[in-house]
Amino acid sequence: AQRVTQPEKLLSVFKGAPVELKCNYSYSGSPELFWYVQYSRQRLQLLLRHISRESIKGFTADLNKGETSFHLKKPFAQEEDSAMYYCALSPSGSARQLTFGSGTQLTVLP
Amino acid sequence: DAGVIQSPRHEVTEMGQEVTLRCKPISGHDYLFWYRQTMMRGLELLIYFNNNVPIDDSGMPEDRFSAKMPNASFSTLKIQPSEPRDSAVYFCASSLGPQGRGYTFGSGTRLTVV
């Protein structure tokens, strides 16, 4: 069975500081990894996925299979980045369900 | 497309009452998921459907919970009888084809059972 761990429930940084939200996973195969973001009282939105290797809103995430990690990073945090961030994993192949981590609440202080 | 539509946005009910949550997935999406979000447990998958057929309901906490998808454009999650510990935000999500595209979530239903 797959598992996603986000070790930090809360994370606070100052505006302009770098930020890294940690995500570790356990899965025996080749997973697909995602980051979702939920702004205050809004729906969850897909932020980025490792397959596309994209940068969204200045965020990037690299899949490290050796460390089984998919940490989310941004070099200069902005106040509007304050939100709940969820890391999610989907087994490759025919399975469809996403397994989410417990989430990290990021607060960017002025 | 209006996205995934959930109703109601908020529901307050008394313990013991029946609660029905509704979801309209994105047209053409063949997978529908129900998640529950709480502070303590984060996001939990309750059940998901593929082409209107329930595939995995192992996340449904108790027999008090049931879900149906009578057609491709509508699903319900019912709790009968409701209990205060069911208070949470319930999200519906839909997806099409390969998982690599991710889900589209609805705005959620905030349920409060008093």
Side-chain angles (χ1 to χ4, degrees):
Chain A
Q2 59 269 20
R3 187 184 183 97
V4 178
T5 302
Q6 293 179 252
E8 303 142 326
K9 281 194 87 68
L10 302 170
L11 181 63
S12 295
V13 300
F14 285 101
K15 177 182 173 182
V19 62
E20 179 180 70
L21 292 89
K22 292 184 168 50
C23 172
N24 290 91
Y25 67 89
S26 62
Y27 178 63
S28 56
S30 294
E32 298 176 14
L33 276 297
F34 307 81
W35 276 99
Y36 280 79
V37 60
Q38 185 181 27
Y39 300 102
S40 179
R41 293 185 176 257
Q42 294 187 23
R43 69 184 71 197
L44 280 88
Q45 306 170 37
L46 178 63
L47 181 61
L48 53 80
R49 47 199 171 108
H50 91 271
I51 285 180
S52 55
R53 303 183 67 82
E54 57 204 343
S55 173
I56 303 294
K57 299 184 179 181
F59 285 97
T60 59
D62 291 319
L63 178 60
N64 186 323
K65 292 186 178 181
E67 295 182 0
T68 59
S69 68
F70 188 57
H71 303 328
L72 183 68
K73 300 177 184 179
K74 186 170 182 176
F76 308 103
Q78 303 298 315
E79 290 181 69
E80 56 264 30
D81 296 328
S82 296
M84 178 72 89
Y85 291 82
Y86 289 94
C87 182
L89 176 154
S90 172
S92 56
S94 61
R96 292 290 181 266
Q97 68 271 31
L98 282 172
T99 297
F100 285 86
S102 54
T104 297
Q105 177 68 50
L106 173 67
T107 302
V108 180
L109 304 167
Chain B
D1 197 321
V4 177
I5 299 173
Q6 290 187 247
S7 63
R9 289 295 303 272
H10 302 275
E11 176 81 36
V12 180
T13 190
E14 290 185 347
M15 182 173 64
Q17 296 298 306
E18 177 180 294
V19 175
T20 299
L21 312 180
R22 297 173 177 80
C23 175
K24 182 180 187 305
I26 289 177
S27 177
H29 278 192
D30 55 350
Y31 286 84
L32 184 140
F33 307 83
W34 282 100
Y35 280 86
R36 179 171 65 177
Q37 183 185 42
T38 60
M39 287 293 291
M40 293 298 296
R41 294 172 176 255
L43 274 167
E44 303 172 276
L45 175 65
L46 300 177
I47 185 172
Y48 79 95
F49 296 83
N50 176 217
N51 292 322
N52 314 338
V53 176
I55 302 301
D56 184 355
D57 65 353
S58 59
M60 297 285 262
E62 299 172 36
D63 291 345
R64 299 184 295 106
F65 286 71
S66 62
K68 295 181 180 180
M69 192 164 185
N71 57 62
S73 59
F74 185 65
S75 177
T76 59
L77 177 67
K78 186 176 294 187
I79 309 173
Q80 165 65 20
S82 58
E83 297 183 3
R85 59 194 168 116
D86 301 330
S87 298
V89 181
Y90 291 81
F91 285 102
C92 175
S94 69
S95 71
L96 171 66
Q99 187 51 256
R101 300 180 191 178
Y103 296 174
T104 301
F105 279 84
S107 299
T109 294
R110 183 173 296 274
L111 173 65
T112 304
V113 183
V114 297

